[in-house]
Structures are given as C-alpha cells and as structure tokens.
C-alpha cells in the first residue's frame, strides 16, 4: 500500500464490522508500545470474526473436507504507535468481491486514532483449488462492503 491513504479508511464508520480487543501486557514491546506483530494478529481476528459471520463458524474451526479459506496476500501499514494498557477496535470491511476471492480492508483504532491499516486477499478453495463463491455467500459479503466516507 505505497499510495496515499484514502481519508475514509481512517474513520471507523467506513467499516461495517467491528471487533474490540483489550490489549495485554504481552502485547507490549521494550519501548512500552504495542509490538508490530500485534496488528497482524488483531487484523487476523477481525477477518476471522467476519468470515465466521459469512460462512459460519465451522468453516474456520471444523471445515468440511477440502474446504479452505486461503490467504493470498497481506499488507499492513503502521501509521502511529499504540500502547498498553488500552482497548483496540479493529474495523473490517470488504472492498472487492471476485469469483472466488475477496479483498478485506481493515483499520486498527485506539483512543479514536487509526494506528494501522491492512489489506488482505482471501480465496475460497476446495481441495486446494479456487472455487467460486455461491450466490448466498456473495449476498452475505455485500453486507460487509465498505460504507461511504460519511459512514452512511
């Protein structure tokens, strides 16, 4: 994500799905900030939460034979420091729905400030091969599309 950040991506209201996490002591680095790995882990939890809403819990914890949600690409930009203690809000939405893949965009907020943004491409696969999203899945994804910059 080497391009300038769209200002809407820095607003929680742009995203339809939210996950709140209470930071832990073990999240802190030697400089008393949240370490760089924390954003990756929290973005993963936000994606997992949204994917369970769309596909059901079993797709992640007890998938039917051969079904997989494969991460094809992950990019994370750190924008500022975050701290311990404190809560972090992970905001998640979908920016693109393809035949068998979708792009998830996310932002991490603490004290109403965005400290990281992320983008992930995920592919629905069966037996290791991309497989088309079915109409019901596509419809559920529509509910998670990014909102307009005013949050409407």
């Amino acid at each position: 994500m080497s391009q300038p950040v769209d200002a809407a991506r820095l607003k929680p209201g742009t995203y339809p799905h939210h996950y709140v996490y209470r930071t832990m002591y073990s999240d802190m680095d030697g400089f008393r900030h949240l370490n760089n790995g924390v954003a990756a882990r929290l973005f993963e939890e936000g994606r997992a939460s949204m994917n369970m809403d769309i596909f059901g819990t079993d797709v992640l914890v007890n998938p039917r034979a051969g079904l997989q949600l494969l991460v094809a690409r992950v990019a994370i930009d750190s924008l500022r420091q975050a701290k311990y203690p404190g809560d972090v809000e992970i905001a998640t939405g979908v920016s693109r729905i393809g035949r068998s893949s979708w792009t998830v965009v996310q932002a991490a907020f603490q004290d109403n400030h965005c400290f990281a943004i992320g983008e992930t491409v995920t592919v629905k696969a069966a037996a290791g091969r991309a497989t088309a999203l079915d109409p019901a899945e596509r419809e559920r994804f529509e509910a998670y599309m990014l909102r307009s910059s005013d949050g409407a």
Side-chain angles (χ1 to χ4, degrees):
M1 289 184 289
S2 58
Q3 303 172 11
V5 178
D6 176 2
R9 293 277 316 274
L10 305 176
K11 298 176 184 177
T14 302
Y15 303 87
H17 187 272
H18 296 262
Y19 173 85
V20 176
Y21 171 80
R22 183 186 58 82
T23 61
M24 301 173 73
Y25 180 79
S26 61
D27 295 332
M28 189 173 47
D29 63 19
F31 298 107
R32 295 183 296 194
H33 298 113
L34 299 186
N35 71 53
N36 290 339
V38 170
R41 183 170 44 83
L42 295 180
F43 284 155
E44 179 180 50
E45 284 297 324
R47 288 191 311 272
S49 179
M50 184 189 75
N51 286 333
M52 286 188 286
D53 286 352
I54 292 168
F55 293 100
T57 302
D58 280 350
V59 76
L60 295 180
V61 297
N62 189 27
R64 66 182 189 265
L67 179 64
Q68 298 171 297
L69 301 182
L70 303 174
V71 173
R73 178 183 175 276
V74 175
I76 297 173
D77 289 335
S78 295
L79 305 177
R80 64 185 303 150
Q81 295 292 335
K83 64 183 181 343
Y84 170 85
D87 290 339
V88 170
E89 179 181 0
I90 301 300
T92 304
V94 175
S95 65
R96 184 194 64 80
I97 305 168
R99 185 187 77 78
S100 61
S101 67
W102 58 98
T103 302
V104 175
V105 290
Q106 297 177 282
F109 298 90
Q110 190 176 59
D111 299 328
N112 296 315
H113 296 287
C114 183
F115 69 87
I117 57 173
E119 182 175 291
T120 303
V121 176
T122 304
V123 178
K124 178 185 173 187
R129 302 191 93 137
T131 187
L133 295 166
D134 67 39
E137 291 164 344
R138 294 175 91 52
E139 184 176 325
R140 288 191 297 271
F141 267 115
E142 290 291 333
Y144 291 93
M145 292 299 289
L146 290 182
R147 299 175 179 152
S148 66
S149 61
D150 62 4

